[in-house]
Amino acid sequence: MRLPQARLDQVLDRFHQVEARMGAATDGAEIVRLSKEHAELKPVADAVTTLAKARQEMVDLEAMTSDPDMADMAAEEIASLKERLPELEREVALLLAPRDADEKASAVLEVRAGTGGDEAALFAGDLFRMYSRYASNIGWRVEIDSATEGEAGGYKEIIATITGDGVFGRLKFESGVHRVQRVPTTEAGGRIHTSAATVAVLPEVEDVEIEILDKDIRIDTYRSSGAGGQHVNKTDSAVRITHLPTGIVATSSEKSQHVNRDKAMKNLRVRLYDMQRQAKDLARSDARKSQVGSGDRSERIRTYNFPQGRVTDHRIGLTLHSLPQILEGDLDPMLNALIAEDQAARLADLEAEFG
C-alpha cells in the first residue's frame, strides 16, 4: 500500500501542533486532553518519521547508482531497503487505520451459563477461570463484582472487572456464545453432551459521561448467595439497579451495601455505554464488508471439543488442537489470529479510502 504523503504530513503537522500547545497550555483540563492526544499520536508520528527517512534514503541511494564507484554498494542497500519498506508502510497503515476508541480500556467481563443446566454452569466456571488465568499471566487485575454459583459448581452468572492496559482491545472478540462438547461427570453412559455459555466483554471507560436520572432507576437490596461458610452474605447488602427505560440490570454482591451501590452504578454506566457502542457498530457494519464478528452476543463463535482436544473459532475457521492449554489461559494463539484478521479488515478499509 502506497500511503499518500499528504496524509503522512497531516499526522506530523498535528503532532507538532499538540507538542507546541502543550508547552503553552496552563488550563489543567486542556493539559490532560493534550497529553492524552500526544500519547496517542507519538507512536504514529515516530513510525511516519521512520518511513519518511527510509523513503528519502531510497531516493538518495538511487541517485548514487549513477556513480560507478558507489553503484554496487548502493544496489545492495537498495535491495535491503526494498525489503524493509513494505513492512514500514504496513506498520504506519495499521496505526492510521480506523481504530476502536476503547482499545486501551480496561473491561468488564460477563460470563453466563446458557443451555445445558448444571453442565453449562460448570462450563461457565471453566471459561471464567480461563480468562482469569490469562489475565494473571499478563499482569492484569481481576476483581469479581457479582457471582451466582451453580448448584453443581461453576457459575450461573459471574461479572468481573479486569483492569489493565489494553484489556478491551485484547479480549473484545471473545463476546458471543461459546459451546462445549464433552461427557459430563454426571453422565453414567459416557454420552457426549453439548452445552453453552455466553461471554460479554464491555469497555470500562472512566471519562465517559452517561446521564442516569434518579427517576429512571429502581434500586433493590437482597441477600446474595455466596460460596457459603464464613463468606456467606447474612444481610441484605447486595444491590440490584434496574434502568427502567432500557431494562438493563446491574448488580453487585459484596459485604458493604454502600460499595455495592457504587459498583452497580458503575456497571450500569458501562452497560449503557456499551449499548451506544453496539448501535454505532451496527451502523458501521452495514458499510464494512469484512468483520471478525458482528458483535451480536447471540452469535456462536467458538466450540470446545473435549473428546478430540480441539478448539474451533467459527468466525475465522481456526482450529487449535490444544484445548487443555487454552483452558489454562494460553489464549494468545487464538487472540493473535483474531486480531490479525481484524487488522487485515482495517487495512482493507484504509486501502479503499485511499483508492
Side-chain angles (χ1 to χ4, degrees):
M1 183 188 303
R2 181 71 182 180
L3 296 167
Q5 188 60 45
R7 181 72 175 92
L8 304 184
D9 292 341
Q10 187 182 33
V11 171
L12 290 177
D13 287 346
R14 180 57 189 165
F15 179 67
H16 294 142
Q17 287 172 13
V18 170
E19 277 199 322
R21 184 60 196 154
M22 280 177 69
T26 55
D27 178 67
E30 186 183 11
I31 291 171
V32 169
R33 180 182 60 78
L34 289 169
S35 298
K36 184 178 179 181
E37 186 177 0
H38 184 272
E40 291 172 353
L41 283 173
K42 191 174 189 315
V44 192
D46 288 347
V48 168
T49 301
T50 301
L51 176 60
K53 287 180 179 177
R55 283 179 171 180
Q56 184 58 51
E57 188 181 350
M58 179 66 81
V59 172
D60 296 341
L61 287 168
E62 286 173 344
M64 290 167 60
T65 57
S66 59
D67 183 341
D69 296 330
M70 306 292 289
D72 289 344
M73 184 195 73
E76 287 182 17
E77 293 288 335
I78 286 172
S80 173
L81 196 54
K82 278 184 176 178
E83 290 183 6
R84 279 183 57 218
L85 271 172
E87 186 54 41
L88 292 175
E89 291 255 9
R90 186 177 187 278
E91 182 182 345
V92 172
L94 277 174
L95 290 167
L96 290 177
R99 280 197 306 167
D100 195 319
D102 302 320
E103 200 84 9
K104 295 289 186 181
S106 296
V108 172
L109 171 71
E110 302 179 350
V111 184
R112 293 181 176 83
T115 56
D118 289 343
E119 173 63 11
L122 290 169
F123 179 50
D126 291 340
L127 289 176
F128 181 74
R129 179 175 174 273
M130 175 182 79
Y131 293 123
S132 296
R133 285 285 180 95
Y134 181 72
S136 176
N137 291 341
I138 289 184
W140 295 337
R141 183 165 56 89
V142 179
E143 184 180 2
I144 295 175
D145 295 325
S146 67
T148 304
E149 296 179 356
E151 293 178 9
Y155 298 101
K156 291 180 180 177
E157 175 186 275
I158 183 162
I159 300 171
T161 299
I162 305 181
T163 306
D165 183 40
V167 178
F168 181 71
R170 197 83 187 135
L171 295 182
K172 63 181 178 180
F173 298 121
E174 293 301 290
S175 292
V177 177
H178 295 239
R179 187 177 67 166
V180 64
Q181 295 172 327
R182 64 183 174 189
V183 179
T185 54
T186 55
E187 173 57 61
R191 290 176 300 175
I192 296 172
H193 285 226
T194 299
S195 305
T198 60
V199 172
V201 180
L202 321 177
E204 186 190 43
V205 185
E206 297 292 341
D207 56 354
V208 169
E209 291 186 12
I210 300 289
E211 186 180 19
I212 301 175
L213 303 176
D214 288 344
K215 68 180 181 64
D216 288 340
I217 60 174
R218 185 180 72 240
I219 301 177
D220 301 305
T221 57
Y222 62 100
R223 185 170 302 181
S224 67
S225 56
Q230 62 180 341
H231 300 295
V232 70
N233 195 338
K234 296 182 174 65
T235 61
D236 292 337
S237 64
V239 171
R240 179 191 299 112
I241 301 179
T242 304
H243 188 248
L244 302 174
T246 62
I248 291 175
V249 177
T251 61
S252 183
S253 54
E254 293 194 4
K255 295 179 182 179
S256 163
Q257 188 175 124
H258 178 71
V259 169
N260 285 333
R261 184 186 171 106
D262 288 345
K263 279 194 169 187
M265 283 298 290
K266 183 194 79 171
N267 190 262
L268 179 58
R269 284 192 172 86
V270 166
R271 287 161 168 266
L272 289 170
Y273 176 69
D274 183 63
M275 186 177 71
Q276 293 178 4
R277 276 179 50 87
Q278 287 190 63
K280 289 179 183 175
D281 289 345
L282 187 61
R284 274 201 305 262
S285 67
D286 291 338
R288 182 167 171 171
K289 296 174 184 176
S290 175
Q291 292 196 124
V292 170
S294 66
D296 182 357
R297 306 248 161 89
S298 64
E299 177 189 10
R300 189 192 73 190
I301 64 168
R302 194 173 298 153
T303 296
Y304 302 71
N305 184 293
F306 275 70
Q308 298 178 22
R310 60 176 167 82
V311 179
T312 299
D313 194 285
H314 304 292
R315 296 164 295 181
I316 58 175
L318 175 65
T319 295
L320 298 175
H321 295 274
S322 53
L323 186 146
Q325 294 92 325
I326 287 172
L327 288 177
E328 286 298 316
D330 185 16
L331 278 170
D332 276 336
M334 185 68 74
L335 298 181
N336 288 341
L338 289 162
I339 290 168
E341 187 78 11
D342 181 62
Q343 287 178 345
R346 290 194 289 118
L347 285 175
D349 287 347
L350 191 67
E351 201 160 11
E353 177 190 335
F354 291 152

